[in-house]
Amino acid sequence: MKNTDTASKTSGNQSAEKALHILEYLAEQKEAARLMDIAQAMNMNNSTTLRFLTTLLSAGYVDQEKDTSRYYLTYKLAALGQKVNENKQLPRIISPYLKEISETLQESVCLAIEQNSQVVYIDVCEGPKQIVKAMQRIGNIAPLHCTGIGKLFLLNYSESELDNFIVSHGLDKYTIHTLTTREALCHELIKTRRRGYATDNEECEIGARCIAFPIYDYSEKIIAGISVTGPSVRITDAFADKWAPYMQQMTRQISARFGFSV
């Protein structure tokens, strides 16, 4: 005899999966989509597809053009994504990756976000027998222009936003290596964008270096950064060259969790 509870659960799971596939399909379309095109893409008949779309319409995730009756996504999903950030899910999601990276590289690893044009550290995984810089403690802040993660956030800035940042915050000198001119900073940001990661070459603290990699969300905005930090004798250019592919692979996996698609 067929187990009706199991059958019901299986049917429910399949229905949820089909609804999610419709949302994903609509998200990939540059224009509103016709019912018949959605049905064909889902390998379903029109009436079944219409039933799913009606449910999504009622829930507010999908809407229709008045003149063509074509379907498109609303911003409700984006609002849900924003609530995920507001609920501080980012450290919870990324923490296991930090631990894996720290164990693999045998160095300290930090996670940070940007708030009020400053770097704010929200998670730190200390490497074995290593001491994290005092600045890199959970809740502590750091400048944008002389930290690896900070430079990543500056990649989000337009030319005018960067000018306003420099005027309002300045480019204070922390060490002899700190970049204190707009020209030098912009040159470094170009290098950062080209190679896909940022560096702090004793610019914030003498004797300490870091390499930092971006975390993107669905809008292709850098929402966080992960930095590998240690003494300058260990975090060398050779170290960066060796581990950059691994770090980029890991941060791509993390970014995918936030809706980023390569």
Side-chain angles (χ1 to χ4, degrees):
M1 181 176 179
K2 190 175 183 179
N3 188 319
T4 55
D5 287 341
T6 301
S8 176
K9 290 178 181 178
T10 301
S11 176
N13 290 341
Q14 290 175 345
S15 295
E17 186 176 357
K18 289 177 180 177
L20 290 171
H21 284 326
I22 290 175
L23 291 175
E24 291 172 351
Y25 173 79
L26 291 174
E28 293 172 354
Q29 307 311 303
K30 295 182 179 180
E31 298 178 348
R34 299 181 301 175
L35 170 62
M36 63 182 295
D37 292 331
I38 301 171
Q40 183 177 2
M42 297 299 106
N43 197 25
M44 297 189 298
N45 59 49
N46 286 358
S47 60
T48 301
T49 305
L50 180 60
R51 188 166 68 249
F52 281 104
L53 287 168
T54 300
T55 300
L56 293 171
L57 276 164
S58 299
Y61 291 101
V62 170
D63 206 345
Q64 283 181 283
E65 292 180 340
K66 292 183 179 180
D67 54 342
T68 67
S69 295
R70 295 187 179 199
Y71 296 87
Y72 62 92
L73 287 184
T74 68
Y75 282 95
K76 188 170 183 178
L77 282 174
L80 285 179
Q82 182 61 35
K83 287 181 180 179
V84 170
N85 285 337
E86 291 173 356
N87 290 334
K88 299 182 180 179
Q89 297 296 318
L90 198 144
R92 181 184 64 80
I93 292 172
I94 299 180
S95 182
Y97 293 93
L98 291 188
K99 293 177 182 177
E100 180 178 340
I101 293 169
S102 180
E103 290 173 1
T104 301
L105 274 61
Q106 296 289 289
E107 296 291 351
S108 299
V109 182
C110 305
L111 171 67
I113 59 174
E114 179 188 4
Q115 285 185 352
N116 301 321
S117 298
Q118 292 178 308
V119 174
V120 180
Y121 295 98
I122 59 175
D123 200 0
V124 176
C125 188
E126 296 188 12
K129 300 180 181 179
Q130 307 304 332
I131 300 175
V132 182
K133 291 189 299 182
M135 182 177 293
Q136 294 179 319
R137 297 291 183 183
I138 295 175
N140 282 10
I141 60 175
L144 294 183
H145 71 288
C146 59
T147 56
I149 293 180
K151 291 172 188 173
L152 295 177
F153 292 131
L154 288 177
L155 296 179
N156 287 330
Y157 285 37
S158 66
E159 290 288 333
S160 60
E161 288 171 337
L162 182 61
D163 288 337
N164 291 336
F165 166 77
I166 293 173
V167 170
S168 58
H169 290 79
L171 299 175
D172 292 341
K173 185 174 183 178
Y174 288 81
T175 75
I176 58 173
H177 302 293
T178 305
L179 305 178
T180 57
T181 67
R182 187 187 191 283
E183 181 181 8
L185 180 60
C186 287
H187 179 70
E188 182 66 17
L189 294 180
I190 291 172
K191 288 172 56 179
T192 297
R193 192 182 300 279
R194 183 175 65 246
R195 68 189 170 201
Y197 65 90
T199 62
D200 165 6
N201 185 16
E202 298 185 276
E203 298 163 46
C204 201
E205 181 179 328
I206 291 294
R209 293 188 70 188
C210 86
I211 51 174
F213 295 78
I215 303 298
Y216 295 90
D217 69 1
Y218 61 93
S219 68
E220 301 185 2
K221 177 182 178 181
I222 297 173
I223 58 170
I226 293 179
S227 65
V228 181
T229 304
S232 56
V233 294
R234 287 204 309 270
I235 310 300
T236 60
D237 291 342
F239 178 94
D241 291 340
K242 176 181 178 180
W243 291 109
Y246 166 78
M247 289 297 300
Q248 288 167 337
Q249 178 185 7
M250 294 295 287
T251 49
R252 278 197 297 268
Q253 291 180 23
I254 298 170
S255 296
R257 300 284 301 273
F258 295 94
F260 177 71
S261 178
V262 179

